[in-house]
């Protein structure tokens, strides 16, 4: 809607649709961030190795810093070039600046997930969430000051950029979930390699279902695009009239 509003600032349809989307975003994004915080605390209690990988936290310590970005190095057990917030991880997990956070050093090396992938995916997920929050907050600020969205080209550009961030956050979150629990399919009970289905020819239904869903996705996208563009053309014609 932001994209089409830039092309036709007079469109009542896209202005109202964008306003509705931003209203939903303004309410749901803070709730999602709060839910993520609760989930991270649960992971810290139930799957401490995953939490340590998410935060690239190698060494058990009190007053653990929160690391943003950086390049985890398993050999030296350090994270180079990370932005470190003193006591941040301890505060987030236990509401205490001096609480002890378990590091990866407490677990056998063969039980570590891929720290780089998990840490980068987690940071990407969080970054995507805050990008969407910033865009929605910017729009809300303009709304409170009664500034029409159609007259804010930079805000519309920001909203266009933020649009795909929800999908980015979802996919990055699944990477954190699935890679972060390795090598376990049931934490501390069964390894993934022990749960692999021995059924022969399993690739055939996998490929068939993948192809089916790809076709269905193409049909849905085509139909939505056709209906959306037709609706847009009708609204533009009505506005012009």
């Amino acid at each position: 809607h932001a994209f089409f509003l830039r092309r036709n600032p007079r469109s009542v349809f896209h202005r109202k649709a964008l306003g509705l989307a931003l209203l939903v975003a303004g309410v749901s994004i803070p709730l999602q961030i709060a839910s993520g915080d609760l989930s991270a605390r649960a992971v810290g209690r139930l799957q401490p190795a995953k939490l340590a990988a998410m935060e690239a936290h190698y060494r058990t310590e009190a007053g653990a810093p929160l690391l943003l970005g950086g390049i985890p190095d398993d050999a030296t057990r350090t994270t180079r070039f990370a932005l470190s917030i003193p006591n941040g991880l301890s505060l987030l997990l236990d509401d205490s600046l001096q609480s002890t956070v378990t590091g990866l050093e407490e677990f056998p090396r063969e039980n570590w997930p891929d720290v780089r992938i998990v840490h980068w995916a987690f940071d990407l997920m969080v970054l995507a969430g805050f990008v969407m929050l910033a865009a929605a907050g910017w729009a809300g600020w303009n709304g409170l000051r009664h500034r029409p969205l159609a007259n804010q080209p930079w805000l519309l550009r920001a909203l266009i950029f933020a649009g795909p961030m929800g999908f980015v956050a979802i996919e990055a979150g699944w990477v954190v979930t699935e890679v972060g629990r390795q090598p376990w399919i049931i934490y501390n009970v069964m390894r993934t390699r022990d749960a692999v289905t021995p059924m022969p020819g399993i690739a055939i239904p996998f490929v068939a279902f993948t192809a089916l869903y790809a076709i269905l996705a193409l049909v849905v996208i085509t139909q939505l695009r056709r209906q959306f563009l037709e609706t847009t053309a009708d609204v533009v014609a009505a506005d012009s009239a």
Side-chain angles (χ1 to χ4, degrees):
H1 293 299
F3 175 82
F4 283 101
L5 197 58
R6 284 200 66 216
R7 296 177 61 181
N8 178 26
R10 297 177 56 195
S11 173
V12 177
F13 170 71
H14 289 298
R15 192 182 309 131
K16 290 185 176 181
L18 181 58
L20 180 61
L22 289 170
L23 177 62
V24 173
V27 174
S28 62
I29 295 172
L31 292 176
Q32 182 61 50
I33 292 175
S35 172
D37 177 67
L38 294 175
S39 297
R41 294 177 184 230
V43 170
R45 294 192 307 272
L46 303 174
Q47 295 177 287
K50 178 193 285 189
L51 187 280
M54 289 162 54
E55 302 292 353
H57 184 64
Y58 287 96
R59 304 189 185 280
T60 300
E61 60 181 313
L66 179 66
L67 302 181
L68 304 178
I71 303 175
D73 187 334
D74 292 348
T76 61
R77 301 189 177 186
T78 58
T79 304
R80 294 175 287 127
F81 311 117
L83 174 62
S84 178
I85 301 177
N87 305 96
L89 185 55
S90 292
L91 181 63
L92 284 176
L93 290 180
D94 202 30
D95 296 323
S96 170
L97 291 174
Q98 293 301 320
S99 64
T100 300
V101 180
T102 303
L104 285 166
E105 66 180 1
E106 302 294 334
F107 307 94
R109 181 65 184 83
E110 63 270 17
N111 289 347
W112 291 12
D114 189 309
V115 180
R116 288 189 177 183
I117 291 179
V118 176
H119 178 62
W120 290 339
F122 179 71
D123 279 0
L124 179 60
M125 178 186 69
V126 174
L127 177 62
F130 277 100
V131 167
M132 291 187 289
L133 179 63
W138 185 5
W141 172 252
N142 277 271
L144 290 175
R145 303 189 70 178
H146 303 289
R147 294 177 177 175
L149 290 174
N151 298 336
Q152 305 293 322
W154 282 105
L155 173 57
L156 292 177
R157 291 188 183 98
L159 292 173
I160 293 170
F161 173 78
M165 290 297 106
F167 295 100
V168 172
I170 289 172
E171 294 304 320
W174 273 113
V175 171
V176 173
T177 298
E178 300 303 328
V179 179
R181 64 183 171 85
Q182 300 305 321
W184 306 101
I185 194 167
I186 304 175
Y187 191 69
N188 278 342
V189 175
M190 178 184 288
R191 291 181 178 270
T192 303
R193 65 171 180 244
D194 298 325
V196 175
T197 302
M199 172 182 160
I202 198 171
I204 296 175
F206 174 77
V207 172
F209 275 103
T210 301
L212 174 61
Y213 278 100
I215 293 171
L216 291 175
L218 181 61
V219 170
V220 170
I221 291 171
T222 301
Q223 292 300 319
L224 287 176
R225 182 176 182 272
R226 180 180 300 169
Q227 292 185 6
F228 186 77
L229 292 179
E230 287 177 355
T231 302
T232 300
D234 293 341
V235 171
V236 169
D239 289 345
S240 300

